[in-house]
Amino acid sequence: MKRISRASCEQLDCDDPLVGFRRNFKLGENLIYLDGNSLGPLPAAAAARALQVVEEEWGVDLIRSWNKNNWFQLPHIMGDKIARLIGAEPGEVVMTDSTGINLHKVLHAALGLRPDRRIILMEDGNFPTNNYVGQGVAALRSGGYQVQFADPEDLLDALSEDVAVLCLTHVHYRTGRIHDMDKITAAAQALGIIVVWDLCHSAGALPVNLNDCQVDFAVGCTYKYLNGGPGSPAYLFAARRHHGHALQPLAGWWGHDNPFALERDYRAAPGIKQMLTGTQPVLSLAVAETGIDMFLATDMNAVRRKSIALCDLFVRLVEQHCAGQGLQLISPRDSNMRGSQVSFDHDNGYAIMQALIDAEVIGDFRAPATLRFGFAPLYTRYVDVWDAVMRLQDILQSECWREARFQIRETVT
Ligand SMILES: *Cc1c(COP(=O)(O)O)cnc(C)c1O
């Protein structure tokens, strides 16, 4: 195999059809940001948009903005944009609340469609908040609801006609492993199971086709790959065939059929609007549009091709330059099975990540031992991959990660 050099990485950047997008982000020249899978960086245009919303829409137009600047429609305007990134139709997605809250709403709605069944099936090892939400939903309902966990390798065997809802994360937060959405959805639905997918590590990272897979419900966040900004609202997809039947339980005036009629009693809106509860964080919704628009201006297949090339390059370089240093690849080696991230375990992973961050290579650490690196194709260059591995090699060889300052545990890792 030809040995890769920094010069060959520079050549790959020259030939990269997405190279122009990097200009649209605010990123320091020496900073290598491999954490866009946790908090996407600031799109350069987002600051101007934020100023406009604050100074003009809030500052001048004031309450007239609900109509004049479409504030009231923002969850739908943004939802329709996100729909294009996840293979949904207009009117099937709203941008609202957080992923956890949307999952809560969707699980209740899904359980309501299968009143004779009591089991929510989830996978072992998933990002814990999804488990907590599932357990919270089961605890709130009377009648013996419970969450069961299956080994991700044995999911299909765990499906049965006792399961009401199967709730999975499409791309695993720790390893990046991709589930076969089409196959699993079909197998579950053949047994009458309602299927919910979490797209937190999928949207903006790879093409997603919810309707091609006939998915029932989905949720996901926008502050990771979609660069919506810290705490930007999440989204919720409900297939049109469920509208009016599957009702989320957090009833509120934004989900009412006619909110401004100010009727005494709740009347569920017939469409996706029912998935809303109350007044939304307008500033965050508006600012998130900048990042999402960037994805609408590109081709997700091109994003996916570059993502695979970056991840493959990273694995190859780490194995060439950091061999024998105790790193163990925990992501699938086959790029078809892997999202837009690569993770290695190391016994001293925490301190090594702190030393890397100190060297301006920002990834993240997931307890107990995982070094996680996200590769967002719109701003990550091939030379960044090269430079990141060289800095990692230095840290491992010099063992500078042993310094006391790299052992200090911060609240957020
Ligand atoms: C990031 C992520 C979340 C985030 O949930 P919040 O409600 O936004 O805190 C949930 N689930 C998965 C799988 C995630 O990766």
Side-chain angles (χ1 to χ4, degrees), residues 1 32 46 59 64 69 74 82 86 102 170 191 331 377:
M1 224 181 332
I32 301 176
R64 291 167 288 190
N69 296 308
L74 269 183
I82 293 167
I86 58 177
N102 287 334
H170 182 221
L191 295 166
S331 297

Side-chain angles (χ1 to χ4, degrees), residues 105-125:
K105 293 187 288 189
V106 151
L107 286 177
H108 276 290
L111 290 173
L113 292 172
R114 292 292 177 271
D116 302 333
R117 303 186 184 194
R118 292 288 177 273
I119 294 168
I120 302 171
L121 184 66
M122 302 179 102
E123 70 184 287
D124 259 336

